[in-house]
Amino acid sequence: MAKAEVSLEHLFRVFTKPEHDDSTLAKIERHLSDNVSDFLSQHVVTKKTSLEEIEQDFSSARVPDSPEFVSSHAEALLDKLVAHSVNTYAPTFIGHMTSALPYFHLPLSKLMVGLNQNLVKIETSKAFTPLERQTLGMMHNLIYQREDDFYADYLHSAEHSLGAFCSGGTVANITALWVARNLLLGPQDGFKGVAKTGLVAAYKHFNIENLGIMSSRRGHYSLGKTVDVLGIGRDNMLSIESPKQILSPEKALAAGKAYQERGNKLLAIVGIAGTTETGHVDPLDELAEVAKELGCWFHVDAAWGGATLFSDTYRSKLKGIEDADSATIDAHKQMYVPMGAGMALFKDPAASNSVRHHAQYILRQGSKDLGATTLEGSRNGMAMMVYSSFHILGRRGYELLIDNAIEKAQLFADMISQHPCFELTTSPVLSLLTYRLRPEALHDLPDLSQSEIQTLNHQLDELTVSIQKRQREAGRSFVSRTRIELEQYNNESVTVFRVVLANPLTTVEDLSSILEEQLALAQDHPVWLALTQFKQVKIA
Ligand SMILES: *Cc1c(COP(=O)(O)O)cnc(C)c1O
């Protein structure tokens, strides 16, 4: 390890002097500007497969005593970090919502990192603040489609905000429901509002036992964190059974009324536009009506599915989202922006005043500091990456990407359905689907008893888990897995493969090779061997 001298002169050079020519850092830069995916494919030849082995490289808890040359440190990063990173750019990496990025993010993000603006207040961000407000306005417009006058009034108003930019969907959901909580338990009749008094006094004033949030069983786990952080408690997260993968408006209404009759107040119904596990979209328009009838807030968690709004062809799948009081959209999912870009949008530009905070040295009364209504304090200029994507790809570019992903998912679903050895467990509503291996012998069996179906499902679960792990370890492709209740199996939970088609470079050949690989991996699995003979056994 090349140690550098410990001197202020050396440290000043670290701040000011770019390294030149043949330094490792310069080489990394050159490689990266050519193509990240080439760069990754050169380096992702992971030899160490177990996490424990990798942990050996990160085992010391001491801050290194002496400075190191930047170039020599860069070598170490290549060796220890990059070589064992996950290649999310691979077209066969189709298991998660994280995927390849368009190349322009790399050079542009250098501007963002280099300028090091802090969006919490104007004094450290100037032009970035209006840019972020405009970006939020564009997303607001995508959802709520208000007239130009509306945006002229509110886009840059110090007393309003059309949304809150944050690090991701989790913080966006917390922010939206925090705003909702403070509005619902806001100041009235001499009561100073929950923000000031806390929940105990608020429950007393409103004469309620508890405050609750409702979503389908498929609600993202960030909602569990939300009820926890907001102080209303995880017992008050009403997760409604959803064998069809969506929140039924009838069940929502009945459960909401029952909850209220027990002396509780319902804070919000959360409709999901693109569930994490199966990609289903709740009936948002009907749920908005239910929320109105129950007198609660309506939030739409469109963290993943929100980008569908770019598509004229498919935007109607999210109909009713314009009735939401608030909505969450992650730009780092289907909008192909680097990690760390989430947004909460508010129908009413005054809503977020319920969480407005003032301080003496910043966020002064009447200032346009974004930090006054965001949960996070210091924040980077990530909105620039969303802004740039809007310009470089355009609404129509996004539309093409979304349409392509949805249509590819439909195609993949057809491939799976027509394959004798696979079962499509949930059809894609957007670009996410689930399926599993199922031997041909199990098709058109005579009626099986409940317990026979259960036994079969347990065996298939074991098979799915094993194949998913082995495929991941082989490193050519990646499909994730989850457990979901399925109507067709009496609402029993089964383990399934989960696929998110995000990378536009994923081809039909890639998809077909993934199925082939899974089938090949199954051939010597005891469950597969046993089930392939199932029919004969059954008949005998
Ligand atoms: C991803 C996701 C979240 C959480 O977003 P993060 O950006 O991971 O914090 C919440 N809800 C849904 C539906 C999601 O898909």
Side-chain angles (χ1 to χ4, degrees), residues 326-518:
S326 57
T328 287
I329 296 186
D330 260 345
H332 62 215
K333 289 180 181 164
Q334 286 199 89
M335 286 169 64
Y336 305 98
V337 165
M339 276 305 127
M343 285 166 275
L345 290 313
F346 296 100
K347 183 192 211 166
D348 175 1
S352 60
N353 287 334
S354 74
V355 299
R356 189 172 285 278
H357 184 88
H358 295 292
Q360 280 311 310
Y361 70 106
I362 52 165
L363 320 178
R364 291 182 199 92
Q365 213 87 27
S367 84
K368 296 189 175 185
D369 297 340
L370 292 162
T373 54
T374 56
L375 179 58
E376 290 161 285
S378 294
R379 276 189 308 108
N380 65 11
M382 204 60 184
M384 182 197 123
M385 308 312 288
V386 182
Y387 174 90
S388 296
S389 289
F390 282 163
H391 286 86
I392 295 172
L393 299 172
R395 205 270 309 157
R396 293 174 65 185
Y398 270 119
E399 175 174 55
L400 271 176
L401 289 170
I402 292 291
D403 290 0
N404 179 265
I406 291 179
E407 282 149 25
K408 206 170 350 178
Q410 285 159 356
L411 214 114
F412 193 36
D414 291 341
M415 285 162 64
I416 292 165
S417 311
Q418 284 156 21
H419 200 297
C421 299
F422 287 94
E423 175 190 15
L424 185 69
T425 43
T426 56
S427 300
V429 177
L430 303 173
S431 53
L432 204 167
L433 58 81
T434 67
Y435 67 103
R436 62 177 179 174
L437 278 155
R438 185 185 57 181
E440 201 169 1
L442 297 188
H443 287 239
D444 53 71
L445 280 171
D447 285 344
L448 293 177
S449 74
Q450 182 84 8
S451 76
E452 281 172 316
I453 293 179
Q454 229 168 27
T455 312
L456 262 181
N457 277 337
H458 289 325
Q459 289 176 296
L460 286 174
D461 287 351
E462 189 193 323
L463 177 75
T464 309
V465 171
S466 155
I467 301 303
Q468 191 268 347
K469 280 188 186 161
R470 283 168 62 195
Q471 188 168 28
R472 186 189 63 201
E473 281 159 14
R476 276 186 299 276
S477 46
F478 175 74
V479 168
S480 59
R481 67 166 201 270
T482 188
R483 269 180 84 73
I484 46 170
E485 298 153 22
L486 291 175
E487 205 186 12
Q488 59 266 43
Y489 296 115
N490 301 307
N491 304 338
E492 256 201 66
S493 287
V494 302
T495 303
V496 293
F497 298 125
R498 167 178 172 272
V499 158
V500 189
L501 290 169
N503 188 338
L505 304 179
T506 301
T507 62
V508 173
E509 289 71 39
D510 291 325
L511 296 175
S512 128
S513 77
I514 285 169
L515 293 184
E516 275 164 35
E517 188 186 4
Q518 291 179 325

Side-chain angles (χ1 to χ4, degrees), residues 155-384:
L155 204 58
H156 298 289
S157 158
E159 290 82 38
H160 300 88
S161 57
L162 298 175
F165 202 95
C166 52
S167 63
T170 301
V171 177
N173 281 340
I174 293 174
T175 305
L177 293 159
W178 176 34
V179 165
R181 188 199 68 168
N182 286 9
L183 280 172
L184 195 73
L185 307 181
Q188 52 149 263
D189 308 334
F191 173 63
K192 293 198 178 101
V194 68
K196 199 161 175 61
T197 67
L199 283 176
V200 176
Y203 285 10
K204 216 177 267 172
H205 174 81
F206 288 96
N207 192 24
I208 55 172
E209 293 287 321
N210 277 302
L211 199 61
I213 291 175
M214 183 196 293
S215 84
S216 85
R217 184 73 64 80
R218 299 269 79 91
H220 188 266
Y221 60 81
S222 56
L223 299 176
K225 295 180 181 176
T226 304
V227 288
D228 186 349
V229 169
L230 293 184
I232 67 183
R234 289 184 187 248
D235 284 350
N236 293 293
M237 180 69 235
L238 313 179
S239 296
I240 310 299
E241 272 198 20
S242 49
K244 289 187 200 300
Q245 315 302 332
I246 53 170
L247 179 55
S248 127
E250 294 76 27
K251 277 191 195 171
L253 185 62
K257 282 193 168 150
Y259 185 72
Q260 290 172 332
E261 277 158 16
R262 291 198 298 274
N264 307 307
K265 214 175 173 71
L266 189 63
L267 170 59
I269 292 179
V270 178
I272 308 162
T275 62
T276 313
E277 285 151 303
T278 65
H280 279 71
V281 180
D282 283 336
L284 305 176
D285 47 353
E286 291 175 79
L287 290 175
E289 289 299 317
V290 174
K292 211 179 282 168
E293 192 168 340
L294 293 171
C296 70
W297 189 265
F298 182 47
H299 175 67
V300 171
D301 184 356
W304 175 69
T308 311
L309 295 170
F310 288 113
S311 164
D312 283 345
T313 318
Y314 297 110
R315 125 163 228 132
S316 61
K317 285 180 184 277
L318 270 54
K319 72 174 183 303
I321 194 171
E322 65 282 358
D323 297 325
D325 295 299
S326 57
T328 287
I329 296 186
D330 260 345
H332 62 215
K333 289 180 181 164
Q334 286 199 89
M335 286 169 64
Y336 305 98
V337 165
M339 276 305 127
M343 285 166 275
L345 290 313
F346 296 100
K347 183 192 211 166
D348 175 1
S352 60
N353 287 334
S354 74
V355 299
R356 189 172 285 278
H357 184 88
H358 295 292
Q360 280 311 310
Y361 70 106
I362 52 165
L363 320 178
R364 291 182 199 92
Q365 213 87 27
S367 84
K368 296 189 175 185
D369 297 340
L370 292 162
T373 54
T374 56
L375 179 58
E376 290 161 285
S378 294
R379 276 189 308 108
N380 65 11
M382 204 60 184
M384 182 197 123

